[in-house]
Amino acid sequence: MKYALVTGGSRGIGRAIAIRLAQTGLPVVINYVSNEAAAAETKNEIEQAGGQAELLKFDVSKPEETERALGEWEDSHPDDYIGVLVNNAGIRRDNLMIFMQNSEWHSVVDTTLNGFFYTTRRLLKRMMTRRDGRIINISSLSGLKGLPGQANYSTAKAALIGATKALAQEVAPRRITVNAVAPGFIESDMTKDLNQDELKKLVPAGRFGKADEVAALVAFLAGGDAAYITAQTIGINGGLYS
């Protein structure tokens, strides 16, 4: 059986993606780090709607922990494989660079960029053996245009786009696609501290996006109709560009 794994899948955009993928018929593995209650709530919502979901706790920024968790999952699912991977886990630690602490830089880069590397590398073997896979990396408008106070976040999200393009070319002969989705301002936990009234003035559509709208795009990229789409970065931003 083919599964989908959504890293950072307990809340916000990740939660919406997990629910939407389950609606397509995929059993979903919901990764989380600390908020077990939110992860369990997402799992319960999927199951109440008739879908299948599992929880898998590990910190994507820690290579040994990632290896161990994914290895244990594969050992307990010998006939299954994770064929859809959504690298969604990410954090913000905004600060002007002159004031930015080492920990603020490394925590953001470690989670978004290194987490992509550790998780994707571990799951690629089975995808390549099966000659089937969809890898969808959640980047950001910040990675396309840069935003002040987000040198760490912009760096990690921009590097994720570069990695997407490179990996897509490596695995395309094995019928694996790799794409990035770059949301703009989306209503979620990560944007609740932003001044929406002011920022909406910058968006031609005049509003923040919804997590479900991002999830719909991810579900399309995860499906069979997107088999010839790879190495792309698709913005979902209401018309906001650099």
Side-chain angles (χ1 to χ4, degrees):
M1 184 177 292
K2 179 165 72 173
Y3 280 72
L5 168 64
V6 182
T7 67
S10 64
R11 296 183 298 170
I13 291 174
R15 172 190 173 97
I17 290 170
I19 292 170
R20 181 61 71 103
L21 289 176
Q23 290 171 350
T24 71
L26 284 168
V28 177
V29 180
I30 301 164
N31 159 255
Y32 70 101
V33 177
S34 58
N35 196 334
E36 187 167 356
E41 185 179 334
T42 302
K43 177 177 181 289
N44 184 57
E45 183 170 343
I46 289 171
E47 291 175 338
Q48 286 189 338
Q52 292 179 253
E54 302 176 12
L55 301 183
L56 192 60
K57 180 180 180 179
F58 66 93
D59 186 340
V60 299
S61 71
K62 297 179 179 178
E64 296 84 3
E65 191 173 318
T66 301
E67 284 281 333
R68 181 174 63 253
L70 293 176
E72 290 174 355
W73 187 90
E74 289 183 344
D75 288 343
S76 64
H77 295 75
D79 298 322
D80 305 321
Y81 73 109
I82 292 172
V84 174
L85 169 60
V86 182
N87 288 299
N88 169 74
I91 59 173
R92 277 178 46 213
R93 296 289 185 269
D94 295 355
N95 207 344
L96 297 176
M97 182 174 279
I98 193 171
F99 301 121
M100 187 171 289
Q101 302 300 304
N102 290 352
S103 61
E104 293 173 326
W105 177 272
H106 288 295
S107 62
V108 170
V109 173
D110 285 348
T111 300
T112 295
L113 186 58
N114 294 343
F116 149 81
F117 172 64
Y118 301 141
T119 306
T120 305
R121 180 183 60 179
R122 183 63 179 78
L123 297 176
L124 266 178
K125 183 177 180 180
R126 283 197 179 184
M127 288 187 188
M128 295 184 75
T129 300
R130 300 269 184 166
R131 300 182 69 88
D132 175 42
R134 297 284 187 272
I135 299 169
I136 301 147
N137 301 317
I138 306 302
S139 182
S140 170
L141 177 70
S142 185
L144 292 172
K145 70 185 295 293
L147 291 173
Q150 289 192 339
N152 49 2
Y153 191 74
S154 294
T155 295
K157 293 298 190 179
L160 192 58
I161 290 172
T164 297
K165 294 176 180 179
L167 179 60
Q169 295 173 70
E170 294 178 13
V171 299
R174 293 282 180 166
R175 298 200 297 242
I176 300 168
T177 67
V178 190
N179 292 290
V181 172
F185 296 121
I186 306 295
E187 293 177 354
S188 71
D189 292 342
M190 290 188 72
T191 59
K192 64 184 179 182
D193 60 331
L194 301 179
N195 187 333
Q196 286 200 28
D197 290 336
E198 287 301 314
L199 291 172
K200 281 190 291 190
K201 297 175 183 177
L202 304 175
V203 183
R207 65 175 178 90
F208 275 27
K210 299 184 183 302
D212 286 343
E213 293 172 314
V214 179
L217 174 58
V218 171
F220 171 73
L221 292 173
D225 289 341
Y228 201 56
I229 301 173
T230 196
Q232 303 304 305
T233 301
I234 303 173
I236 178 163
N237 54 39
L240 178 61
Y241 293 96
S242 59

